[in-house]
Amino acid sequence: MANCVIAEDETLLRDALVDLLAAAWPELEVAAACEDGAAALEAIAAHQPDVAFLDIRMPGLSGLEVAAALADCSPRTQVVFVTAYDQYAIDAFERGAVDYLQKPVAPERLAATVRRLKARAAGAGPDAQALAAMLRQLAGVQQAGRAPPLVWLTASAGADTRLIMVDDIAYFQSDTKYTVVMTAEGEALLRQPIRDLLEVLDPAVFKQIHRSTIVNLKAIASISRDEMGRGLVRLKNRPETLAVSQPFMALFRNM
């Protein structure tokens, strides 16, 4: 039985795609339906699905970034982008590497995609490393069109409210209802989920290394990998170390 992972941040659209796939490909098992790129990357690494249906624009890791990481964590997974904006997927689609669906997904278009996926599964797939390089380039184009990144923020430290320059932040870590902001001087708290921060931070400087952790690359002293492939980040101005989820190690390939 074939299986898939779906990543779509809008609940109604995610549920609709699950229903459409049940009709178009009844034998396909949905191993996970995720609401953001980080959850999708971890689900793909865990389930090694035959297909990943990825929304291009998601909080945190985009669908392009998730797809680029698959060469390391799940190279046999075929990719289908689901997007309201098709310009980012056209290059890959025209080279026969991936397929894409435009929102709202039409049943007849999905049926054609399913036929292509089944046919492609029977033959040789695209070169995973070449595809990853192309998708990283497309992700860079996508990021270039974002609004200017956040420069400073305010966070609570006890009874005080601190103004913190973003460059001084070593890392962010989610903590139930809050996000911990860690600097060399100590911690403060934000009433903002970590997935929202990823939309306003500079993606060239801040990288998600775990579903609950974003690190400032300028604050990293070293990155190591243990015998199980798990990563460990050591910081310049903080004594603690940060765990890197195994799937996220692929994001450091070109660093």
Side-chain angles (χ1 to χ4, degrees), residues 168-173 180-188 238 240:
D168 295 332
I169 297 169
Y171 64 91
F172 298 89
Q173 198 158 56
V180 175
V181 182
M182 193 66 72
T183 67
E185 289 72 36
E187 70 176 53
R238 296 290 313 173
E240 65 270 27

Side-chain angles (χ1 to χ4, degrees), residues 3-240:
N3 66 339
C4 74
V5 166
I6 295 171
E8 164 61 63
D9 63 322
E10 296 185 44
T11 303
L12 291 176
L13 295 177
R14 188 169 63 248
D15 293 344
L17 182 55
V18 170
D19 292 341
L20 286 168
L21 281 169
W25 198 347
E27 64 273 24
L28 181 71
E29 176 191 1
V30 178
C34 309
E35 64 178 4
D36 59 60
L41 184 57
E42 292 189 340
I44 291 167
H47 296 288
Q48 299 290 300
D50 298 284
V51 187
F53 293 89
L54 305 174
D55 185 12
I56 286 183
R57 295 180 181 269
M58 291 186 289
L61 294 178
S62 70
L64 291 166
E65 291 170 309
V66 172
L70 300 193
D72 293 287
C73 70
S74 188
R76 72 178 186 86
T77 298
Q78 297 192 67
V79 174
V80 178
F81 290 125
V82 186
T83 177
Y85 309 92
D86 66 349
Q87 64 267 36
Y88 300 118
I90 285 177
D91 281 352
F93 172 66
E94 289 182 344
R95 298 183 200 188
V98 296
D99 204 345
Y100 74 94
L101 298 165
Q102 280 192 269
K103 302 176 187 177
V105 177
E108 59 274 15
R109 180 69 176 83
L110 179 58
T113 295
V114 169
R115 289 194 295 271
R116 275 192 290 270
L117 289 169
K118 290 180 177 179
R120 196 177 293 139
D127 181 274
Q129 296 296 340
L131 175 59
M134 180 176 62
L135 292 171
R136 288 190 188 100
Q137 184 178 23
L138 290 171
V141 172
Q142 182 189 42
Q143 289 172 353
R146 292 169 55 149
L150 192 69
V151 176
W152 58 272
L153 54 79
T154 57
S156 301
D160 298 328
T161 297
R162 292 175 55 195
L163 187 152
I164 303 172
M165 301 305 293
V166 169
D167 283 346
D168 295 332
I169 297 169
Y171 64 91
F172 298 89
Q173 198 158 56
S174 63
D175 180 22
T176 58
K177 297 180 181 179
Y178 301 92
T179 296
V180 175
V181 182
M182 193 66 72
T183 67
E185 289 72 36
E187 70 176 53
L189 296 177
L190 276 177
R191 289 181 177 270
Q192 187 173 8
I194 203 165
R195 56 182 282 173
D196 290 352
L197 285 169
L198 284 162
E199 293 299 295
V200 294
L201 293 170
D202 186 347
V205 178
F206 287 88
K207 293 291 184 183
Q208 191 166 17
I209 59 172
H210 188 279
R211 287 183 67 182
S212 63
T213 310
I214 304 169
V215 69
N216 184 344
L217 297 181
K218 297 177 183 177
I220 294 177
S222 65
I223 303 171
S224 57
R225 191 192 294 261
D226 65 18
E227 64 277 1
M228 301 297 292
R230 293 170 298 202
L232 196 66
V233 167
R234 290 179 174 82
L235 301 166
K236 294 176 182 177
N237 297 315
R238 296 290 313 173
E240 65 270 27

